[in-house]
Amino acid sequence: MRYPFWLSFLQLAGVNMVSNLLVPLAGLLDLAFLGNLAEIRHLAGVAIATVLFNYLYWTFGFLRMGTTGTTAQAVGRGDADEVLLTGLRGGAIALTVGLGIVLLQLPLREIGFTLLSAAPEVKQAGRAYYNAMIWGAPATLLNLVWMGWFLGRGKGRAVLLLSAVSNGVNVVLNYWLIVRWGWASAGAGAATALSQYAMLGVALGLLSREVSGTQVRAVFPKIWNAAALKSLVLLNGNIVIRTFALITTFAVFTNLSAAVGTTVLAANTLLLQVVTLAAYFIDGLAFATETYAGQFHGGGQRDRLRALAELSGALSLGLGLAIALLFALLPQPLFRLLTHHADVLEGVRQSAWWLLPLLGFGSLAYMLDGYFLGITAGNVLRKSALASSLLGFAPIAAIAWQTQSNALLWLALTCFMATRTVTLGWALRQSYLERC
């Protein structure tokens, strides 16, 4: 059989998809609660504040991504001590950074909102969201590590449980804090922060069932191994640059949307939620690709990597196009669930067809990201992200800003995804040639 691992791959991908799907569904419910308030400024305020949290949290996405690939490779080698050490090293970094963010929350807020473009009432709503959500930083970063650790070990059910707890608590608290108590954007921020601590509590409970104190004490002196730390720093440095480039691209897109107008910002925010929904779906495949790529690479089974990329690529492309087509064909009934504002719905209708090329390229880019994260090829990811942001997105986005064209903004984002796919695909082809 050409894909002897296909059944276990699909099982892991399916669990990952359900786990990932809970995140955007909770986000959509957040938007629905906010979008149906009397004033649209609460929805717009959360949108611009989310840009800041993307920088704060996605910049440290290496805590999840680096942990998954490194853990998976240790599993492939059969190195149990290194599996545990990977989680402990990541946890120590996450806790330190999370506490630092809490201590620096005021300057981070003032710098961030100074740089963002939005009406004063929108910024006010955004600040309220930020002030509540920032207290969840330590738990959020620690959760990234433990999600990555369980993913690297192929423990999809544990990841599903963690996601269910986090997002279930988030939805319940959002309903009470936004709808019942009227806290608006502040309620959305508080609900998210509290849900992260609930998730962390469950993660630590799962960890305590699998790892004893004796095991932790036995490997603890090795946490600060110089060679391992150097390798970790190099990998994480590349992932940070890669992630920063991606975040900046979406941040500029959101900021330029706000510059065009609050209605455009709200419409584009709803469309980006579809991109997020698709990404979390496709990331179910990408995460499984990451796990298997790391285990195959770590175990020296490099002949199986090509079959993995072919299988995951075909499934990812089909899934991405199917989601895009659904929302492009039925924009009014689907998006009316999220907001009743007619001008926002009209803006969504005008731009919905951009989802097809955007998610067509994006689905392949997400899968290839997972592949290279699994084999910890951080330099490939760094180069691709920089080229995509600087060459694929920036020139067209500059013209869009000059002309105040929302259509050109979507073209710029589509070219960004296309460049990611081409550059990562080229790197994949070169890796095939090197193994021949």
Side-chain angles (χ1 to χ4, degrees):
M1 186 182 295
R2 190 177 185 188
Y3 304 123
F5 55 89
W6 70 272
L7 182 58
S8 58
F9 173 86
L10 289 177
Q11 289 174 338
L12 179 58
V15 174
N16 288 343
M17 281 185 192
V18 176
S19 172
N20 291 342
L21 183 61
L22 295 175
V23 179
L25 285 179
L28 288 171
L29 286 173
D30 292 353
L31 288 176
F33 292 143
L34 293 166
N36 283 287
L37 293 176
E39 297 178 90
I40 198 64
R41 69 183 181 91
H42 298 295
L43 172 61
V46 169
I48 64 166
T50 298
V51 171
L52 299 185
F53 284 106
N54 286 345
Y55 272 104
L56 288 175
Y57 294 154
W58 287 12
T59 296
F60 296 103
F62 67 82
L63 292 168
R64 203 284 304 163
M65 292 179 276
T67 300
T68 300
T70 306
T71 301
Q73 290 184 32
V75 170
R77 295 192 302 271
D79 189 343
D81 283 354
E82 190 59 31
V83 170
L84 178 55
L85 282 166
T86 299
L88 294 176
R89 288 187 187 112
I93 295 171
L95 182 59
T96 302
V97 173
L99 292 174
I101 289 174
V102 171
L103 291 173
L104 296 173
Q105 61 178 284
L106 293 180
L108 289 173
R109 183 190 67 193
E110 295 310 309
I111 293 171
F113 280 94
T114 299
L115 295 175
L116 290 170
S117 299
E121 64 274 12
V122 172
K123 283 192 175 185
Q124 182 182 9
R127 284 172 180 267
Y129 178 80
Y130 174 97
N131 291 340
M133 186 169 166
I134 195 68
W135 293 97
T140 300
L141 297 186
L142 282 166
N143 287 335
L144 289 175
V145 173
W146 298 121
M147 288 283 280
W149 192 70
F150 284 116
L151 278 170
R153 298 169 62 226
K155 300 285 186 177
R157 291 183 180 179
V159 174
L160 176 59
L161 175 60
L162 293 176
S163 184
V165 169
S166 172
N167 292 288
V169 170
N170 190 28
V171 169
V172 171
L173 289 177
N174 266 302
Y175 172 73
W176 278 99
L177 298 181
I178 297 174
V179 178
R180 300 297 296 272
W181 291 4
W183 288 11
S185 55
T192 303
L194 291 171
S195 69
Q196 289 296 312
Y197 282 102
M199 177 180 175
L200 179 59
V202 175
L204 294 177
L206 292 174
L207 183 64
S208 68
R209 295 176 61 183
E210 297 193 26
V211 179
S212 68
T214 302
Q215 290 174 291
V216 173
R217 287 191 294 271
V219 302
F220 191 80
K222 301 178 184 178
I223 290 179
W224 310 114
N225 178 273
L229 287 174
K230 180 180 179 181
S231 176
L232 184 63
V233 168
L234 289 174
L235 172 62
N236 289 345
N238 282 321
I239 294 176
V240 166
I241 295 171
R242 166 257 184 204
T243 306
F244 187 82
L246 302 187
I247 295 169
T248 299
T249 298
F250 280 94
V252 170
F253 179 88
T254 300
N255 208 29
L256 292 179
S257 298
V260 175
T262 299
T263 299
V264 170
L265 171 62
N268 286 358
T269 297
L270 295 179
L271 286 168
L272 284 179
Q273 285 299 309
V274 177
V275 177
T276 301
L277 172 66
Y280 279 112
F281 250 124
I282 298 164
D283 274 348
L285 293 164
F287 288 175
T289 302
E290 198 172 335
T291 299
Y292 275 89
Q295 292 183 4
F296 290 162
H297 184 75
Q301 300 174 290
R302 299 191 177 184
D303 56 315
R304 307 181 77 179
L305 288 171
R306 182 166 187 166
L308 172 65
E310 291 175 351
L311 175 63
S312 184
L315 294 171
S316 299
L317 180 60
L319 185 57
L321 290 176
I323 294 172
L325 192 60
L326 174 65
F327 281 88
L329 289 173
L330 301 170
Q332 291 292 326
L334 292 175
F335 287 100
R336 193 175 284 117
L337 298 172
L338 302 178
T339 183
H340 64 274
H341 294 271
D343 52 349
V344 175
L345 289 170
E346 176 59 21
V348 167
R349 186 194 64 78
Q350 292 176 3
S351 300
W353 284 100
W354 282 108
L355 293 173
L356 277 170
L358 183 64
L359 290 179
F361 289 116
S363 61
L364 293 175
Y366 299 148
M367 182 280 294
L368 289 167
D369 255 6
Y371 178 92
F372 285 109
L373 283 168
I375 65 173
T376 58
N379 61 323
V380 172
L381 296 169
R382 168 177 52 83
K383 293 175 182 177
S384 172
L386 289 174
S388 301
S389 295
L390 297 176
L391 302 178
F393 176 78
I396 301 174
I399 298 173
W401 178 65
Q402 290 288 338
T403 59
Q404 295 288 282
S405 170
N406 192 42
L408 285 179
L409 270 180
W410 283 104
L411 176 61
L413 197 60
T414 300
C415 289
F416 164 75
M417 286 295 188
T419 308
R420 286 183 69 194
T421 302
V422 170
T423 51
L424 291 173
W426 178 261
L428 182 66
R429 179 178 181 275
Q430 292 301 108
S431 71
Y432 291 160
L433 294 176
E434 290 173 2
R435 288 197 295 270
C436 291

